[in-house]
Amino acid sequence: AQKITQTQPGMFVQEKEAVTLDCTYDTSDQSYGLFWYKQPSSGEMIFLIYQGSYDEQNATEGRYSLNFQKARKSANLVISASQLGDSAMYFCAMREGLLGSGGSNYKLTFGKGTLLTVNP
Amino acid sequence: GAVVSQHPSWVICKSGTSVKIECRSLDFQATTMFWYRQFPKQSLMLMATSNEGSKATYEQGVEKDKFLINHASLTLSTLTVTSAHPEDSSFYICSAEYNEQFFGPGTRLTVL
């Protein structure tokens, strides 16, 4: 079974500073995908970034980067130059199999989330 | 990107009534849709996996007779909360799968 652990219920960061949100995972699969989602107070789930288990380079998407340490089974999200609009709940998730590998019915396993507050 | 809609975005109903929530993939066909439930300040909990033209697969502990799921077409899945009670009040989110899961905006259900 897959498991995602987010140990930080809440995090605070000053505007314009960088922040790291922790995520560790457990799986017996060799092929898997890791995701980060942002959920503002409106409730929508916003996809931020994806890392495949065989990707050697850390994924980056604008101000978001994923610090992937496979041996430690960690997939931390780094947000650079925080903005007030980054205040939200952040969820780490994983699925069996890689994106683009075909098939369907790929369930996502979510962590409990980290509430990020960006202070002006 | 792929767009998924949900209707209604919020609903208030009386205890004992049934409520139907629609999930539509607007610009793609999804053979699989997922339904999640989220309580305040908690994570998303998968309720069921819905495949077009077949019965939904429910997660352990989810009452299939209470949460009826229908996936009649490749772009529409519905979740009906039957005989709703206050403890069913929650945020319900669907996602549609096209290689990855694309999430709807969610439906906030309040049962009085």
Side-chain angles (χ1 to χ4, degrees), chain A:
Chain A
Q2 299 180 334
K3 185 178 179 182
I4 293 281
T5 302
Q6 293 180 255
T7 57
Q8 305 155 315
M11 286 285 285
F12 293 88
V13 65
Q14 284 299 120
E15 194 178 7
K16 299 181 184 176
E17 293 186 352
V19 63
T20 297
L21 306 183
D22 294 341
C23 172
T24 58
Y25 61 91
D26 192 20
T27 181
S28 57
D29 298 322
Q30 296 300 311
S31 299
Y32 52 89
L34 295 156
F35 302 78
W36 276 93
Y37 292 89
K38 172 185 178 181
Q39 187 181 42
S41 56
S42 60
E44 61 184 312
M45 293 291 284
I46 302 169
F47 165 75
L48 296 178
I49 197 164
Y50 164 81
Q51 180 92 33
S53 58
Y54 297 115
D55 294 340
E56 294 184 352
Q57 303 266 6
N58 286 339
T60 60
E61 291 285 350
R63 295 186 298 111
Y64 304 107
S65 60
L66 197 152
N67 185 357
F68 182 46
Q69 297 189 37
K70 193 170 182 178
R72 296 178 60 186
K73 293 190 174 179
S74 75
N76 298 339
L77 176 70
V78 181
I79 305 175
S80 63
S82 298
Q83 302 172 355
L84 295 178
D86 293 335
S87 293
M89 197 73 169
Y90 288 81
F91 291 100
C92 180
M94 75 179 298
R95 60 164 255 182
E96 175 187 74
L98 303 171
L99 283 185
S101 58
S104 61
N105 285 13
Y106 289 112
K107 297 181 185 179
L108 281 172
T109 301
F110 285 89
K112 291 187 175 183
T114 296
L115 181 62
L116 176 66
T117 302
V118 180
N119 294 317

